[in-house]
Amino acid sequence: MLFLIPASSNATHLLGGSLGYEYIGQQPDGTFRYRITALTYTNCGPDSNVPDPDDDLFIGIYENDINNPDADKVLVDQLIISLQDTTAITSNLPANCTIGEDVCIVEATYEGFINLPLNLGGYIVYYQRCCRNDGVINLNSDEQGFAFYTQMPSPTIENSAPVFLGAPTPFLCQNDTTTFVNTAFDPDGDQLIFSFVTAKWGYTSAANPNPGPENPILNWPIAEIGWEAGFDVNQPFGPTGYAFIDGATGLTEYSAPLAGPYTVAIEVREFRNGVLIGTTIRDIQLQVLVCPPNPAPDLSDINGGQTDFQVLAGDSICFPVQLEDLNGDTIVVTSAGAIFDPLIFDPAATITTPQTGAGLVTAEFCWVTSCEQGQEL
């Protein structure tokens, strides 16, 4: 497929994103149809010279060699996926609080469809663009590009990529340990393993920020970002910072000693019956803010301190979730997750949120499960 790549001036506005796909089914001509999706995060603040997301993204589909999966990838198709929706990401601060008010982030959703022939090694779906936001503390230079990809198995394995639950929470307070539920849901019930990885730069530059997919070869592995001295994949906030990820759930904890933007990337590997069938990268920029001292609410030990629960498929489970603020501040508790969506889980779980209270808030979680819902969530 041929298309024109529009000329583009140097753009320092990109904060990250991710790619995904959904298996639709085999077509009458023998090809296999997929919905390709993307999320991007754009800096819409006063320091961005391109505050609006692109109208279209130019995606490359590359053949994965089943006999040599580490080889360079050969371009087999291209497509344009179009902007569907935009959402502003805010720090959810009180109306009278000015911390972070100059930080503006827009999440953009893109979608397109493609039919692919059978390839036993599967495919790599790839996107690249320049440039990242200026002044990222843990990068060794400005104007670095970003690239992300998702790896799909052979179409003979009917599979859809994991879906990240909600937008990333990009705001942290300086010198404060913050926990994020940065997890994903797999529509096929596959096992997911989460880990930090080095974000990808790709093959763009400030002089050529939007060249489209690499053609005819995508050099593998993809070129990575350059770390500032003292920072790396295990220390994205430097030697005095802290970063942790739970490999089974994707739960992350961060603490940064310096205010400013940081780049972090999370890889999700997808296993079916113990076999790796797919990989997805989420690239995000975290903004560390100087916040007034204020300890976060504590999860009470109303359940004896238990935070992990198991239920046999077909049984039911209920338990209270209680949060307490030692300063007596107003607490607002909300919830999110695929298990609360009846279009995905039937029956769905329930939780009595949103809840608001002064100093103490309790919500009740319940789930009457079915035998078909057995998996780790």
Side-chain angles (χ1 to χ4, degrees), residues 140-194:
N140 62 8
S141 67
D142 290 336
E143 298 182 346
Q144 296 195 37
F146 83 108
F148 43 88
Y149 72 92
T150 184
Q151 178 182 353
M152 61 172 65
S154 165
T156 59
I157 302 174
E158 298 182 8
N159 186 68
S160 297
V163 178
F164 287 101
L165 300 180
T169 306
F171 301 98
L172 293 76
C173 288
Q174 183 181 4
N175 291 317
D176 185 21
T177 300
T178 306
T179 300
F180 295 148
V181 184
N182 189 48
T183 189
F185 159 74
D186 190 88
D188 306 299
D190 298 319
Q191 180 187 19
L192 302 179
I193 302 296
F194 300 81

Side-chain angles (χ1 to χ4, degrees), residues 73-131:
K73 313 305 178 186
V74 178
L75 183 70
V76 295
D77 211 338
Q78 306 176 55
L79 78 154
I80 298 174
I81 59 176
S82 300
L83 181 65
Q84 304 294 311
D85 192 19
T86 58
T87 302
I89 301 177
T90 65
S91 54
N92 294 320
L93 295 170
N96 61 347
C97 184
T98 61
I99 300 299
E101 65 177 1
D102 59 340
V103 178
C104 179
I105 300 173
V106 172
E107 178 188 70
T109 304
Y110 298 83
E111 181 182 283
F113 294 85
I114 193 168
N115 293 350
L116 294 172
L118 175 64
N119 178 46
L120 295 181
Y123 295 96
I124 300 293
V125 185
Y126 176 75
Y127 173 69
Q128 62 181 6
R129 184 73 157 86
C130 192
C131 296

Side-chain angles (χ1 to χ4, degrees), residues 96 173 178 246 258 283 318 332 349:
N96 61 347
C173 288
T178 306
D246 187 312
L258 299 175
D283 188 325
C318 285
V332 179

Side-chain angles (χ1 to χ4, degrees), residues 358-375:
L360 186 68
V361 171
T362 301
E364 185 77 11
F365 174 93
C366 283
W367 194 5
V368 181
T369 69
S370 69
C371 292
E372 292 77 23
Q373 293 176 330
Q375 59 177 289

Side-chain angles (χ1 to χ4, degrees), residues 115-370:
N115 293 350
L116 294 172
L118 175 64
N119 178 46
L120 295 181
Y123 295 96
I124 300 293
V125 185
Y126 176 75
Y127 173 69
Q128 62 181 6
R129 184 73 157 86
C130 192
C131 296
R132 292 177 184 266
N133 216 34
D134 286 342
V136 180
I137 290 176
N138 57 355
L139 301 186
N140 62 8
S141 67
D142 290 336
E143 298 182 346
Q144 296 195 37
F146 83 108
F148 43 88
Y149 72 92
T150 184
Q151 178 182 353
M152 61 172 65
S154 165
T156 59
I157 302 174
E158 298 182 8
N159 186 68
S160 297
V163 178
F164 287 101
L165 300 180
T169 306
F171 301 98
L172 293 76
C173 288
Q174 183 181 4
N175 291 317
D176 185 21
T177 300
T178 306
T179 300
F180 295 148
V181 184
N182 189 48
T183 189
F185 159 74
D186 190 88
D188 306 299
D190 298 319
Q191 180 187 19
L192 302 179
I193 302 296
F194 300 81
S195 62
F196 290 126
V197 294
T198 298
K200 311 304 179 185
W201 182 330
Y203 305 100
T204 62
S205 66
N208 189 19
N210 194 17
E214 294 294 289
N215 189 359
I217 298 294
L218 173 63
N219 291 329
W220 197 265
I222 299 167
E224 298 178 337
I225 59 166
W227 292 105
E228 179 63 65
F231 298 84
D232 57 39
V233 65
N234 297 312
Q235 297 182 144
F237 304 107
T240 59
Y242 171 72
F244 166 80
I245 186 167
D246 187 312
T249 65
L251 183 74
T252 52
E253 294 179 355
Y254 301 124
S255 178
L258 299 175
Y262 294 80
T263 286
V264 174
I266 294 174
E267 179 183 78
V268 184
R269 290 176 293 158
E270 188 179 359
F271 291 84
R272 184 173 299 178
N273 300 321
V275 177
L276 177 64
I277 63 170
T279 303
T280 301
I281 298 285
R282 186 185 221 187
D283 188 325
I284 57 176
Q285 183 173 294
L286 302 173
Q287 184 72 33
V288 178
L289 308 174
V290 178
C291 306
N294 182 38
D298 293 323
L299 183 65
S300 77
D301 61 357
I302 191 171
N303 301 308
Q306 184 177 4
T307 57
D308 293 326
F309 295 85
Q310 292 186 355
V311 57
L312 293 176
D315 290 348
S316 61
I317 184 173
C318 285
F319 56 86
V321 180
Q322 189 172 86
L323 290 153
E324 182 176 9
D325 189 274
L326 298 180
N327 295 332
D329 294 336
T330 298
I331 305 172
V332 179
V333 178
T334 59
S335 58
I339 61 174
F340 301 117
D341 188 342
L343 298 178
I344 300 175
F345 283 89
D346 184 18
T350 62
I351 188 168
T352 55
T353 57
Q355 294 280 354
T356 302
L360 186 68
V361 171
T362 301
E364 185 77 11
F365 174 93
C366 283
W367 194 5
V368 181
T369 69
S370 69

